[in-house]
Structure formats: C-alpha cells, structure tokens
Amino acid sequence: MLQEQLVRPPIASPSLGYDYDIAIAGGGIVGLTLACALKGSGLKIALIEPQPQSQAAAKGQAYALHLISSQILAGIGVWSAIAPWVEPFKQVRMSDGDYPHVVEFQPSDLQSQALGHVAEHRVLLQALQDFLQKCPDVEWLCPAQVIASHDQGDRVEVQLAAIEASDPVNPTDITGAESIRVRLLVGADGARSPIRERAGISTHGWDYWQSCIVVTVATEKPHDNIAYEKFWSSGPFAILPLPGHHCRIVWTAPHAEAEAIAALDDQTFLAELTRRFGSQMGQLRLTSQRFIFSPRLMQSRRYIADRLALIGDAAHVCHPVGGQGLNLGIRDAAALAEILRTAHQQQQDIGSAQVLRRYQRWRSPENWATLGFTDILDRVFSNQSLPVVVARRLGLRAMQTIPPLKVLSLKFMAGLLGRTPELARKSADAKAKV
Ligand SMILES: Cc1cc2nc3c(=O)[nH]c(=O)nc-3n(C[C@H](O)[C@H](O)[C@H](O)COP(=O)(O)OP(=O)(O)OC[C@H]3O[C@@H](n4cnc5c(N)ncnc54)[C@H](O)[C@@H]3O)c2cc1C
C-alpha cells in the first residue's frame, strides 16, 4: 500500500546494516520510472517525495514523448494504462518562419505507426503511481523530503523530514525527522536538486535570453495528429496535438517580449498567437492559463558521487526545443535500472563506484550530445545574419530532399542513435513478433 504519511520503515536487511537497497529522492516522472523499472529485481526501494501524490500529479504540463520512451514504459508494463489517454503524432513539420520549404517527418521514416505521443503530466504520473501500488518492494515515504545524507562507507544514511501537507501551495511545515540507511541514494529531485548541491557536484551551463510561454488552445478544425516546430526569429514555436481538438503551445521569445506577450489581454494574445500558429486549424480558443518559464542548459559535471547517482533534471536540463528533457530522464532511469539489476544479479555492490561509473559512462555523453544539439538548433534558428539564414535554409532543403539525412536527423532527435536500454528492446521485439 502506498503511504501518504512518513512511517518508520521496516528493516530490510538488519544483518547487513541497511533498511533499503535504494532510496529514490523525487517522485516526479523520472524517479517513478526508475522505481517501476526495478520491479521484480529483488531490490528494496524507498521513494521519497515532498508533495502528496495527488498534488504531484496535478501539474498542468504536457510532453512530447519519443518512441523510445513509450517503448521503455511498455517494457516496464505501464504503457497499456497510458496509451488510451495520449495522442500520437503522425507527422512533424519543421519550418523556418515563413520560408516555404517545410521538412516533413513521417512515421514511415522510422518504420513505425507514429513518430511519438503527446502525454499529459497527470496521465503519466498517475499510471506510474498506480503501477507502484503493485510493487511490494517499493515503500512510499510521502510527503517527506531528504534533508541530509551521510556516506558511511558501505551504506549511506539518508535523513528525512516529514512534511505537514496542510498548506499544499507551500508545504514547508516539517513535523518530524528520522533517517534510513541505504546502499544507494538516487537524486531524481529536479533541476534545482538539493541532493546534487549537498553532494558538492557543480554544473556547467547557462540561462537562455528567452522565456517560454506555455498555453493550451482548442481548435476549430482537427489537428490531424500533426506536430509543428516553427522557428521564428524570436525563437522556436511548437504546436503539440492533444486529445480532441486541442493543442499545447510552447512559444519561445526573448524575455521582455515574452513577458509583454504573456501580459496581453486574451483577444490581443490570441491574435498574436494565431499570427504565428497559422490558419490551418481555423479559429483558436484559449483553454488554459498562460505559464511562463525561463529555459536553461545545465549538465552536472558528474552524475555520480559516493553511493549517489543523479537522474533526470537533477543531472541535466535543456532548452525545450525538440521536447527532449523528460525523454532523456526516462532513458537515464531505464539505463540505471538495467545496470543496478545486472549488478545485483551478479552480487556486486549496487552503490559501488565501479557499478555507478557504468551508468555515467552510458548516459553522460548521450545527454551531452542532445543538450548541444538543442542549443545549436535554438541559436542557429534565432540568428538573422544572412549567411546563417542561407546556410540553415539550404540545410532544411537538403534534409527534405536527401532521405538518409532526414532519417538520420530524425533518429538522433528521437533518441534512437544511442545505446538502447533493454526495456525498450524487449517491448520493440515483442511488438515485431506480433
Ligand atoms: C516549457 C517546457 C516544456 C517542456 N516540454 C517537454 C517535452 O515536450 N518533452 C520532454 O521530454 N520534456 C519537456 N520538458 C522538460 C521536462 O519538463 C523535464 O525534463 C521533466 O519534467 C523532468 O522530470 P524530473 O522527474 O527529472 O524532475 P521534476 O519533474 O522536477 O521532479 C522532481 C521531483 O523531486 C521532488 N523533490 C524536490 N526536492 C526534493 C527533496 N529534497 N527530496 C525528495 N524529493 C524532492 C519534487 O517535488 C518533484 O516531484 C519541458 C520543459 C519546459 C520548461
């Protein structure tokens, strides 16, 4: 049973001197994916999340999920609960402002039924939370947060503080503290990761000169499952198809411009939005509040420390162009689960530097490549100097007219050129056999 209260955990292996094998700090999508991916491994897991489950699921975000992410979730066994609630995208149109040569990516480029799916945060989180209820080896310590951790050689002591959930907006009332002893602490605690900071792991990166406005619209005509990535001079403008006649917009512009746009009255905002969106779906109607985010690029110098591994946004953050961030995090979780499972089967110490280095060697270079790619994409398409404009338009034409180049670019953006986690391979093979 999942617990909404912090309780004293059972001692899993008193003779070895620890309570759980792994503590995962952060019950966001990435932390939960790791816990689910370890089902049946024989490892005992404590999941620590400061927000009550219902509150964590209430985030009004939607993500473009790549094929490899849905394959990982299928390999875990959770995709069947997600699939009815997500919208596949069957075409991606990438364009440079009003330049007429549009690159069209099709499922046939990947020999699949869809290029990916758009999934809402609550759908993913709820399905993962429900799945964890069937995992007897996972104990949910919630609402609680990690306030300190101490390496003790063969284990790490993780100090927790229970949180009074009486104020859901700012749940900072700490009502009690205790500690658990584990063999490995995993930081899945988001971009500002207190665990990364306390471990003294520094980061590379920078803030962008842009902000992203995120909003949902209802459209008069169907979206035909087409996703758009339009590069305007102010920044990328993405349209993601949602179930029904709805689309999610991620609209990037320099900070001052974005703030001015976000502050417009509804009618003027809609007129500006329609100008960039185009008329292909008829009239638009706003169906959500406008949210504004400041994107940044961040890569942790190390993904590991003594008995510690970082995954998801705790390890890296990228510009939202191309919808990469969560997909990278899901691949981190699948990779770490695979490494820990194998190490446990081979009776190795899952928290040892030797085991954790395998994870860092696998994920850090792949994430660097994607972070670099999103950065270049944003810079090249936001640049209005004539040689750059000419070069990128030639590049777009080459991509549209040279199929191997288009397929290679698509595979890179969809995370299909890196090492495939076993979970994704398993579900892709099972599908191929049907
Ligand atoms: C505008 C925008 C659009 C985006 N679009 C896409 C997209 O289309 N596709 C895509 O793949 N990605 C997208 N992303 C990126 C994506 O949102 C993130 O990469 C993803 O949500 C990271 O998930 P996470 O689980 O690593 O971190 P989070 O979702 O931040 O979860 C971290 C969890 O840790 C908990 N926590 C914090 N402190 C502690 C502590 N001390 N102890 C325990 N727990 C703690 C938090 O409560 C939280 O639940 C977008 C981002 C933005 C800003």
Side-chain angles (χ1 to χ4, degrees):
M1 252 332 245
L2 300 181
Q3 292 160 271
E4 285 282 343
Q5 280 181 343
L6 180 62
V7 294
R8 181 165 291 284
I11 304 295
S13 306
S15 57
L16 295 174
Y18 53 83
D19 307 310
Y20 297 92
D21 293 293
I22 304 170
I24 302 173
I29 295 169
V30 173
L32 295 197
T33 301
L34 174 63
C36 293
L38 286 167
K39 185 183 180 194
S41 64
L43 293 164
K44 285 214 165 287
I45 297 162
L47 234 163
I48 303 145
E49 166 59 47
Q51 301 179 79
Q53 287 167 40
S54 50
Q55 189 187 329
K59 198 160 137 187
Q61 177 68 288
Y63 312 98
L65 272 193
H66 301 158
L67 272 190
I68 192 162
S69 298
S70 51
Q71 286 167 356
I72 289 169
L73 295 168
I76 289 172
V78 72
W79 183 247
S80 54
I82 295 171
W85 310 104
V86 299
E87 196 68 7
F89 48 93
K90 300 199 166 164
Q91 198 183 100
V92 176
R93 291 193 185 164
M94 194 167 118
S95 58
D96 184 6
D98 288 328
Y99 185 61
H101 289 274
V102 175
V103 182
E104 291 176 3
F105 298 102
Q106 313 280 356
S108 54
D109 295 328
L110 296 180
Q111 291 160 350
S112 68
Q113 303 286 319
L115 286 168
H117 300 84
V118 182
E120 289 176 77
H121 181 85
R122 68 178 167 78
V123 168
L124 292 170
L125 211 73
Q126 186 77 60
L128 292 162
Q129 287 175 349
D130 290 350
F131 186 86
L132 284 177
Q133 294 202 34
K134 291 172 249 147
C135 300
D137 286 339
V138 177
E139 190 114 25
W140 195 293
L141 307 182
C142 172
Q145 66 183 352
V146 174
I147 51 171
S149 62
H150 307 286
D151 178 32
Q152 297 179 334
D154 58 349
R155 62 187 181 190
V156 53
E157 187 190 8
V158 180
Q159 265 183 286
L160 309 179
I163 290 170
E164 187 66 68
S166 56
D167 177 3
V169 180
N170 187 24
T172 51
D173 304 342
I174 291 172
T175 55
E178 57 183 292
S179 58
I180 54 173
R181 295 161 307 160
V182 300
R183 291 201 284 162
L184 173 66
L185 171 62
V186 177
D189 51 345
R192 293 203 182 92
S193 174
I195 289 180
R196 181 188 67 228
E197 288 187 3
R198 272 196 298 268
I201 299 177
S202 57
T203 60
H204 302 275
W206 47 82
D207 292 332
Y208 284 95
W209 62 97
Q210 299 155 316
S211 296
C212 300
I213 306 162
V214 181
V215 70
T216 305
V217 292
T219 62
E220 184 190 0
K221 297 184 195 160
H223 49 54
D224 294 330
N225 297 87
I226 302 174
Y228 296 80
E229 189 75 74
K230 298 179 177 213
F231 291 97
W232 294 106
S233 54
S234 53
F237 182 95
I239 305 173
L240 301 173
L242 289 173
H245 284 208
H246 285 85
C247 289
R248 185 78 160 171
I249 314 291
V250 183
W251 177 357
T252 312
H255 292 309
E257 188 181 334
E259 270 162 36
I261 293 168
L264 292 172
D265 63 78
D266 281 1
Q267 210 182 348
T268 324
F269 179 81
L270 211 48
E272 283 295 317
L273 180 70
T274 308
R275 208 156 61 77
R276 287 161 179 84
F277 191 102
S279 56
Q280 69 277 17
M281 293 180 221
Q283 286 210 326
L284 307 178
R285 185 168 49 83
L286 296 175
T287 58
S288 81
Q289 283 181 299
R290 306 156 205 178
F291 300 97
I292 188 157
F293 295 90
S294 296
R296 52 194 285 250
L297 182 143
M298 183 281 284
Q299 166 90 324
S300 300
R301 281 179 198 267
R302 290 179 289 135
Y303 284 11
I304 58 172
D306 293 334
R307 296 198 172 270
L308 171 67
L310 302 175
I311 57 173
D313 275 20
H316 47 76
V317 178
C318 61
H319 194 287
V321 63
Q324 298 289 339
L326 179 65
N327 290 286
L328 297 181
I330 291 175
R331 299 211 288 281
D332 291 347
L336 185 59
E338 186 173 324
I339 286 165
L340 296 178
R341 210 177 253 275
T342 308
H344 184 58
Q345 277 162 6
Q346 296 172 351
Q347 297 183 337
Q348 294 171 352
D349 177 357
I350 56 159
S352 67
Q354 186 199 7
V355 169
L356 297 182
R357 271 199 295 267
R358 291 178 205 148
Y359 163 67
Q360 177 163 274
R361 275 200 299 268
W362 180 347
R363 291 305 304 154
S364 180
E366 287 192 18
N367 289 337
W368 253 133
T370 304
L371 263 56
F373 174 77
T374 54
D375 187 62
I376 290 171
L377 206 59
D378 184 48
R379 285 175 197 277
V380 165
F381 279 92
S382 304
N383 192 315
Q384 292 312 301
S385 92
L386 191 61
V388 178
V389 173
V390 171
R392 73 178 184 234
R393 291 185 173 181
L394 284 173
L396 281 182
R397 289 184 76 160
M399 217 191 265
Q400 184 61 6
T401 49
I402 307 173
L405 184 62
K406 188 169 77 157
V407 171
L408 192 71
S409 318
L410 181 59
K411 282 190 167 173
F412 177 76
M413 288 189 281
L416 296 170
L417 291 185
R419 181 172 154 194
T420 309
E422 185 63 38
L423 282 167
R425 245 197 330 265
K426 199 170 88 180
S427 74
D429 289 351
K431 212 168 179 184
K433 277 186 201 143
V434 176

